[in-house]
Amino acid sequence: MSDIRCRIQKHDAHHLELKAHLPIPERGKGRYDLSFYFFSPAQLHMNKADVGVEKVLKHCQTYTRFSSPIVPLAGLIDESCTLSPLYRLKEHLNGLQLTGEIDENRIIYELQTLVNAYRSDIKGLITLVRKLSDRENTAAVHYKDQVSQTISQTEELLTRLQELFPAFLHPRIGENLRTALEWTDEAITLIAEQRILELRGICDEIEEFRDKIAEMDQFLEGVSAYREQQRYSSSYDEEHGRDGELVAYRESILKKWSQSAMYMKAVDSKLPARLNQVFAATAAALAMAFAVTAAAYADTIFIRNSAPWAMIIIISYVFKDRIKEILRGLFGRLMPRLLADRIVRLIDPATQKDAAKAQVLVRFGTDRVQPERIRSAREMQKNPFSSILPPQDVIHFNRIVTLNSRVLKAHERVEALSEITRVRIDEWLKSMDDPKDTMYKLVDGKREKIKSGRVYHIHLIVSLREQRKDTDPHLFHYCLIMNREGLIRIEER
């Protein structure tokens, strides 16, 4: 089973993206605790009073998806590989001939998986070759054959995919499935064209790989001619109205369509709302019980409609309203501790069953009240004056994910889930000063301006832990460099 790991990157100037890799357990339930601690300077006012739980939940959006299918290109075209989507598509089509029944959702899922598996495999090759180009490596020559192999295997993959077109003319196969097959062909030919072009550019920089360029050019000419013949929208041809903007848009549509098979659908649980109603009713009942008791006491001690009787009745009703509001607030603070601020059911797109559950809790505090392990990872001890400086505000975003391997075992080609949390950083920027700043230095007896800018450091500690195992959490320390205009860069500490 692969390890838990984390990656953080800048999505754009106003968004941060955190990606956690969670292995799927072989049996039973896997339970993972993902914690993000944001340490912010006090002057940015990132506290509960100024930000609040609801705003954090709104600005931290999490998407759960399966990792890329683990089927190499050689396996995709291997007729005996039962994990290959091509093998499973043929099995479905053979079943159609025998029984006349067709599982449309399953066929579309296999077509999407074929696109995702090919994209993942060729991306891995490009990453490998790029690493070779970044440094002198005497082993580079050993990877030359892999480039030729990838081209020939891609050609065979496209041939075998296009051989399915006649089978999809069966009267029991609907138009949606034929469209899905066309989109699969368009997506894979587009990925092949763009990625081989990218690979060509890298190989041009490596002397040992330059003799492969002619082979790549021949492949690119063939796939480009085929895409033009098919009049695919993602094929660049300004004469027929397919300019760069349209091609980029079409590429985005095809990518979202294929990857939709990897994303789980998040459905908010109704349990917190129902418990809120129960707590509200309980608070109202307790407050009313106090008012009735006070009225009964007044009837026993004083004459009905007398001044003292009326005073007790009025005071009891005033207290009733206050008791109800106090109890509702108390129950509202207690419920997240019992359950969570948000509970989400995660639906498997292939089976439409509950495959996982996520509980989200948001906590506010300062750097001085965090667990010692987190304070140590933050390296607070490096500043000898930290105890006399204003404490930093800390937002703790905690997501507990429970996976049901019994449902997920249907995905034999997937070994992990990815939790992708996109954080909108606008709240940090509101209280920042103007990024422009002026500093000087002395050069040859003259004062000269130096380029400078006012920035803020937001420290992020990521803690990932599998709860079933008695092991220490995996800790990661990042520093987010920001100014008033947004996120500048991310430094790993």
Side-chain angles (χ1 to χ4, degrees), residues 3 37 83 85 140 160 165 204 269 281 315 317 344 386 437 440 461:
D3 295 330
Y37 296 85
L83 295 180
R160 293 191 57 198
F165 276 81
D204 195 33
S269 171
I315 292 174
Y317 273 91
V344 177
S386 60
D437 203 356
Y440 299 90
I461 306 298

Side-chain angles (χ1 to χ4, degrees), residues 159-340:
T159 298
R160 293 191 57 198
L161 174 63
Q162 289 150 18
E163 287 174 350
L164 294 177
F165 276 81
F168 272 66
L169 296 177
H170 191 285
R172 286 295 185 98
I173 291 183
E175 196 59 36
N176 280 347
L177 286 181
R178 296 190 186 100
T179 301
L181 179 62
E182 289 177 1
W183 282 30
T184 302
D185 186 51
E186 182 180 1
I188 292 179
T189 54
L190 175 61
I191 294 169
E193 183 180 54
Q194 295 301 315
R195 289 302 190 182
I196 297 299
L197 270 171
E198 182 180 356
L199 185 61
R200 186 191 187 282
I202 300 171
C203 290
D204 195 33
E205 300 173 1
I206 308 175
E207 185 176 351
E208 293 85 353
F209 279 73
R210 285 176 185 160
D211 59 349
K212 296 294 179 182
I213 289 178
E215 185 178 353
M216 285 186 275
D217 286 348
Q218 183 179 356
F219 170 82
L220 288 169
E221 289 174 6
V223 76
S224 178
Y226 171 79
R227 288 169 49 73
E228 174 59 29
Q229 179 186 355
Q230 296 296 106
R231 295 292 181 91
Y232 285 144
S233 299
S234 57
S235 174
Y236 182 80
D237 184 359
E238 287 192 343
E239 291 184 4
H240 294 88
R242 299 194 294 273
D243 57 12
E245 179 182 318
L246 179 60
V247 171
Y249 177 75
R250 181 61 177 173
E251 180 184 24
S252 173
I253 294 294
L254 292 171
K255 185 176 181 180
K256 289 177 181 176
W257 171 75
S258 62
Q259 292 191 339
S260 65
M262 302 170 64
Y263 282 88
M264 289 190 178
K265 181 181 179 182
V267 178
D268 284 338
S269 171
K270 296 180 180 179
L271 183 58
R274 289 171 178 170
L275 278 181
N276 264 330
Q277 293 176 356
V278 171
F279 287 154
T282 302
L286 291 174
M288 192 63 190
F290 170 82
V292 170
T293 302
Y297 174 79
D299 281 340
T300 303
I301 303 300
F302 302 105
I303 299 173
R304 182 179 288 273
N305 298 328
S306 64
W309 178 88
M311 185 63 65
I312 289 179
I313 296 297
I314 292 170
I315 292 174
S316 70
Y317 273 91
V318 170
F319 272 92
K320 183 199 78 166
D321 289 338
R322 292 301 89 210
I323 289 171
K324 183 172 70 173
E325 292 303 317
I326 290 171
L327 288 176
R328 286 180 64 179
L330 178 63
F331 289 151
R333 289 192 296 272
L334 179 63
M335 192 193 70
R337 295 182 181 275
L338 296 176
L339 294 175

Side-chain angles (χ1 to χ4, degrees), residues 14 29 63 245 278 294 371 401-402 436:
H14 290 263
K29 292 188 176 181
Y63 308 91
E245 179 182 318
V278 171
V401 183
T402 305
K436 295 180 180 179

Side-chain angles (χ1 to χ4, degrees), residues 435-448:
K436 295 180 180 179
D437 203 356
T438 303
M439 298 186 72
Y440 299 90
K441 67 175 180 178
L442 191 65
V443 179
D444 298 331
K446 296 181 180 180
R447 190 180 73 154
E448 289 189 4

